[in-house]
Amino acid sequence: MPTKQHIAYLDSIRGLAALTVLSEHFIIAYGLPCQETVCQYVLDYSPLHFWWDGGAAVSMFFVLSGLVLSLKYFRNRPTADLNQFSLMAYTIARLCRIWLPYCAVLAISALLYNQFTLNPPSQTPLPASDWITDLWQRHPLKVLDMLREAFLLKLPEVDVLLPQAWTLSIELCLSLLLPLALLITTRGTSWLVFFTLLAVCFLKLPVFAIHFVLGLLLAQQHALIADFLGAKPWLRRLIAVLGFMFYTLGDAVQLQIPEPLLWTSSGLGASLLLMYALSSERCQKVLCWWLFRLLGKVSYSSYLVHIAVLLCVTPYLLKGLATISAEHTLLWFGGWLLTVVVVQLLSLFSYYYLEIPCVSLGKRLVQHWYSIKTK
């Protein structure tokens, strides 16, 4: 399978996961689209919750990151090829890819924060929850606080401007540990599993390290998975069903399950769903649809900017829609759809004028470092 297509459909999955997070935050802010008790119960406590299950989407992010970052080291064999690997080059590239766009959006959000707190939006046609109205208004922002938020490797207890950044902090830390994980795999996969479980259980490493390692193992065995499951459609579909069950377990089963087990369940579900995607050409073709590819392309920017849009743009979109119809369901779907469109348009702009320059800067810094190293 061509490399470009392979990456495209994986990016599409990330884009759909980012859309899920946006949908969850919209629902936390403005409620569900229906007001009937039965309808709300079905949308909230059944597998139908998957389209706004931001927690499961976060698990998908981490498994995907482990898969995509590791894949190039397992292109032709199940043993990591680290002959051309440079720790310094890898670290520079990751910092420029994740940290620089984050800092730029953080600065823009700080400017919006000042305007927002001086002139907060008035009451919206859809009643807004305390979560969205208090997100910025109840947290005074000082320069020192902003500097702490800018240090992504260790965020403060309260993230004022970009509360979703807690996942980015973990993502950056785990991605910087990826070289160590790849090195351990050269000694054996069982060693990697053993040290990961040891670190999570006793060294207080986030449970998402398991997700990251699951992604790495998928990358290691991607060719075997594609060949084996590709020839067994029934098994592939069974894995997809099991993956969906584990992925949505947190809301489908209303029991007091420890949070680490819920995260582990959604991470396992995400891994099984990715196994299905790796082995299903039909699924890959669907995910390579131009709209899904666009969502994937701008997924990181979408994740960064969507909270600011919900705070500063969505209230005015809802007020505009209220002049057309005051019906709750139409207001909800109209507000959600317009919010998604605004986020994607801003993300497209951010992708071309923020993300790509940051990635290019990383490449230039890596080339400069290589030139210094070879002198």
Side-chain angles (χ1 to χ4, degrees), residues 101 114 158 224 324-325 336 344:
N114 291 328
V158 178
L224 179 62
I324 301 173
S325 173
W336 174 83
Q344 300 309 314

Side-chain angles (χ1 to χ4, degrees), residues 218 239-240 242-244 246 267-277:
L218 287 176
I239 285 175
L242 290 174
F244 186 74
F246 280 109
L268 177 59
S271 301
L272 292 173
L273 291 174
L274 286 171
M275 286 179 65
Y276 174 77

Side-chain angles (χ1 to χ4, degrees), residues 282-339:
R282 181 179 298 179
C283 177
Q284 293 165 14
K285 289 179 180 178
V286 171
L287 289 171
C288 284
W289 183 39
W290 70 269
L291 185 57
F292 290 155
R293 294 181 66 179
L294 179 62
L295 288 175
K297 180 182 293 186
V298 303
S299 58
Y300 184 46
S301 287
S302 171
Y303 193 76
L304 288 174
V305 307
H306 77 274
I307 289 293
V309 172
L310 282 172
L311 282 163
C312 302
V313 180
T314 301
Y316 300 102
L317 296 175
L318 291 172
K319 290 177 184 178
L321 288 170
T323 62
I324 301 173
S325 173
E327 204 276 322
H328 180 275
T329 303
L330 290 177
L331 267 178
W332 192 96
F333 277 106
W336 174 83
L337 181 60
L338 289 177
T339 298

Side-chain angles (χ1 to χ4, degrees), residues 102-103 106-107 110-111 113-114 139-151 156 158 160-161:
Y102 165 78
C103 287
L106 188 73
L111 297 175
Y113 170 92
N114 291 328
H139 297 94
L141 184 67
K142 300 177 182 178
V143 174
L144 183 59
D145 295 329
M146 184 176 171
L147 291 176
R148 287 173 178 168
E149 286 196 45
F151 187 62
V158 178
V160 178
L161 294 173

Side-chain angles (χ1 to χ4, degrees), residues 14 18 21 58 61-62 65 94-95 97-103 105-106 149-155 159 161-176 208 212 299-307:
R14 181 182 285 108
V21 172
V58 166
F61 284 144
F62 286 117
S65 291
R94 292 308 294 163
L95 289 174
R97 180 70 184 90
I98 297 177
W99 183 62
L100 289 185
Y102 165 78
C103 287
V105 174
L106 188 73
E149 286 196 45
F151 187 62
L152 192 55
L153 285 171
K154 185 174 176 56
L155 293 171
D159 305 325
L161 294 173
L162 299 179
Q164 71 274 33
W166 68 272
T167 64
L168 301 179
S169 178
I170 297 173
E171 158 77 17
L172 182 58
C173 292
L174 291 179
S175 65
L176 293 179
F208 303 109
F212 220 81
S299 58
Y300 184 46
S301 287
S302 171
Y303 193 76
L304 288 174
V305 307
H306 77 274
I307 289 293

Side-chain angles (χ1 to χ4, degrees), residues 79-300:
T79 303
D81 182 7
L82 301 176
N83 292 328
Q84 304 297 321
F85 180 81
S86 168
L87 180 60
M88 180 61 72
Y90 175 81
T91 302
I92 291 172
R94 292 308 294 163
L95 289 174
C96 290
R97 180 70 184 90
I98 297 177
W99 183 62
L100 289 185
Y102 165 78
C103 287
V105 174
L106 188 73
I108 295 171
S109 298
L111 297 175
L112 293 173
Y113 170 92
N114 291 328
Q115 182 64 30
F116 179 88
T117 51
L118 289 174
N119 301 291
S122 56
Q123 187 173 1
T124 55
L126 289 179
S129 67
D130 292 340
W131 175 80
I132 193 69
T133 56
D134 296 344
L135 201 57
W136 281 359
Q137 292 189 57
R138 287 195 179 180
H139 297 94
L141 184 67
K142 300 177 182 178
V143 174
L144 183 59
D145 295 329
M146 184 176 171
L147 291 176
R148 287 173 178 168
E149 286 196 45
F151 187 62
L152 192 55
L153 285 171
K154 185 174 176 56
L155 293 171
E157 292 185 4
V158 178
D159 305 325
V160 178
L161 294 173
L162 299 179
Q164 71 274 33
W166 68 272
T167 64
L168 301 179
S169 178
I170 297 173
E171 158 77 17
L172 182 58
C173 292
L174 291 179
S175 65
L176 293 179
L177 289 174
L178 178 68
L180 177 60
L182 290 171
L183 188 61
I184 294 175
T185 59
T186 61
R187 305 289 296 180
T189 302
S190 57
W191 282 100
L192 176 63
V193 174
F194 171 75
F195 281 116
T196 302
L197 294 177
L198 182 69
V200 170
C201 295
F202 298 104
L203 301 180
K204 304 303 180 182
L205 203 66
V207 68
F208 303 109
I210 297 175
H211 299 57
F212 220 81
V213 167
L214 286 172
L216 186 152
L217 296 178
L218 287 176
Q220 183 185 38
Q221 303 296 333
H222 74 279
L224 179 62
I225 292 170
D227 292 340
F228 182 74
L229 293 181
K232 293 179 171 59
W234 65 270
L235 182 58
R236 186 170 67 237
R237 291 169 191 144
L238 177 61
I239 285 175
V241 171
L242 290 174
F244 186 74
M245 290 173 58
F246 280 109
Y247 191 73
T248 60
L249 183 67
D251 294 288
V253 179
Q254 298 179 48
L255 299 174
Q256 293 297 322
I257 302 176
E259 188 174 332
L261 287 180
L262 286 178
W263 285 118
T264 303
S265 171
S266 58
L268 177 59
S271 301
L272 292 173
L273 291 174
L274 286 171
M275 286 179 65
Y276 174 77
L278 286 168
S279 57
S280 172
E281 292 186 4
R282 181 179 298 179
C283 177
Q284 293 165 14
K285 289 179 180 178
V286 171
L287 289 171
C288 284
W289 183 39
W290 70 269
L291 185 57
F292 290 155
R293 294 181 66 179
L294 179 62
L295 288 175
K297 180 182 293 186
V298 303
S299 58
Y300 184 46

